[in-house]
DNA sequence: GTATCATATGAACAAATAAACATATGTAGA
DNA sequence: TCTACATATGTTTATTTGTTCATATGATAC
C-alpha cells in the first residue's frame, strides 16, 4: 500500500459509509463474480445458448459449435459444478439441459445490453 | 480432433439444425462473453456494486473495498473501456458512476440466482 | 516556482484458466 | 468376451488476467 495518505485523506466519508452499509457480504459478492465468470467465456456462452432450444448430447454440442469433444466435456463439467446445467444419461449418451430459468434471463439481459 | 467418428455419427440432426438456426452470430456471442467477463471478477463486481449508491472517486472506492488505489484505477479503466462506467473530473478527483441501468439489472438478476 | 496530493499508466510477476493430448470409463451390440 | 463408440478425466502447455511496484501526469495550494 504505497499511498497511505490517499486512503485516509480524500475520502468522502458520508457517502462511503452509506455505501458500505448497503453492500452485500464479501462472500456473496465473491459468489456473484463466480456466477458471472461462467458466462464470461465464449465457448460456455455458446453451449448455454445452444441449450436454450432443447437438451443436447455432448456430441451434438461439439459438432454445432465446431469444438472438440474434450473441450465441450470439460466445459460442461464446469457448468454442471456451478449448477447451470443438469444432465441425464440415456445409453451411451449424456443429455445436458439448462438447470433453471435464471440462466436464460441473465443471458437475455446481457444480450439486451449488447443490442443497443 | 482425435474423435472424428463422434463428430459425424451420433448427432441428432434435426435438433442440431434447429439450434444452429436460432443461434446469434459468432461475433455477438463473443461480445456477450466479453460483457459478462466484466462481472466475473470480485474486485470489479464490488466496484460496480459500490456505484449502485452514488458516484464515487477512486480514493473512496479504494478505501471502502480495502484495495490499493492502483488496482482500482486499473479496473476502472477496464470498466470504462467496456462502457460500464462513466466518469467526470472535478479538480484533483475523478468521479465514477454506472454508465446505465442495464448494469444494475444484470447484477440484480445474478444476485437473485445466488439467493435461492 | 515548489510541494503535495489524486489519479493514471507501464512493466514485471504470479495466478488462473482453457485447450490439446493421451488415456480411461462405461455402454451396446456382435 | 471383444469391439466400437460416447463421454469423462488427468496432465501439460499456452494464454489471459489481476496485482504490485515504480513512475508519470495533472491539479491545487503555498
Amino acid at each position: 500500500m504505497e499511498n497511505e495518505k490517499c486512503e485516509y485523506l480524500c475520502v468522502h466519508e458520508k457517502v462511503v459509509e452509506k455505501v458500505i452499509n448497503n453492500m452485500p457480504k464479501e462472500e456473496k459478492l465473491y459468489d456473484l463474480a463466480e456466477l458471472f465468470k461462467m458466462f464470461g467465456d465464449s465457448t460456455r456462452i455458446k453451449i448455454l445458448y445452444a441449450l436454450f432450444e432443447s437438451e443436447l448430447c455432448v456430441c451434438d454440442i461439439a459438432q454445432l459449435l465446431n469444438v472438440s469433444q474434450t473441450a465441450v466435456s470439460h466445459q460442461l463439467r464446469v457448468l454442471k459444478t456451478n449448477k447451470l446445467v443438469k444432465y441425464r444419461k440415456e445409453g451411451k449418451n449424456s443429455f445436458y439441459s439448462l438447470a433453471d430459468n435464471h440462466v436464460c434471463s441473465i443471458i437475455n439481459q446481457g444480450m439486451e445490453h449488447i443490442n443497443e
Side-chain angles (χ1 to χ4, degrees), chain A residues 45-62 64-65 76 84-88 94-99 101 103-104:
Chain A
I45 271 280
K46 286 178 199 169
I47 292 176
L48 293 171
Y49 229 110
L51 296 175
F52 267 45
E53 290 296 322
S54 74
E55 66 171 13
L56 294 168
C57 76
V58 178
C59 190
D60 292 342
I61 299 173
L64 75 84
L65 302 189
L76 282 171
L84 297 186
V85 302
K86 56 183 194 274
Y87 78 116
R88 69 183 179 83
S94 295
F95 288 93
Y96 284 82
S97 55
L98 297 181
N101 291 339
V103 180
C104 287

Side-chain angles (χ1 to χ4, degrees), chain A residues 33-51:
Chain A
E34 286 304 300
L35 173 66
F36 283 122
K37 208 173 283 183
M38 288 303 103
F39 301 95
D41 172 79
S42 56
T43 301
R44 280 194 299 267
I45 271 280
K46 286 178 199 169
I47 292 176
L48 293 171
Y49 229 110
L51 296 175

Side-chain angles (χ1 to χ4, degrees), chain A residues 5-81:
Chain A
K5 299 261 178 52
C6 167
E7 318 290 26
Y8 289 88
L9 292 182
C10 96
V11 176
H12 304 82
E13 297 190 15
K14 286 177 196 165
V15 183
V16 168
E17 197 172 333
K18 189 180 159 206
V19 170
I20 288 178
N21 291 334
N22 290 329
M23 288 277 281
K25 292 250 169 58
E26 174 87 17
E27 191 196 323
K28 273 257 154 86
L29 290 167
Y30 185 81
D31 290 347
L32 192 53
E34 286 304 300
L35 173 66
F36 283 122
K37 208 173 283 183
M38 288 303 103
F39 301 95
D41 172 79
S42 56
T43 301
R44 280 194 299 267
I45 271 280
K46 286 178 199 169
I47 292 176
L48 293 171
Y49 229 110
L51 296 175
F52 267 45
E53 290 296 322
S54 74
E55 66 171 13
L56 294 168
C57 76
V58 178
C59 190
D60 292 342
I61 299 173
Q63 198 199 35
L64 75 84
L65 302 189
N66 202 35
V67 171
S68 75
Q69 176 269 321
T70 314
V72 172
S73 198
H74 275 296
Q75 295 301 353
L76 282 171
R77 188 158 73 105
V78 173
L79 291 170
K80 194 174 62 187
T81 304

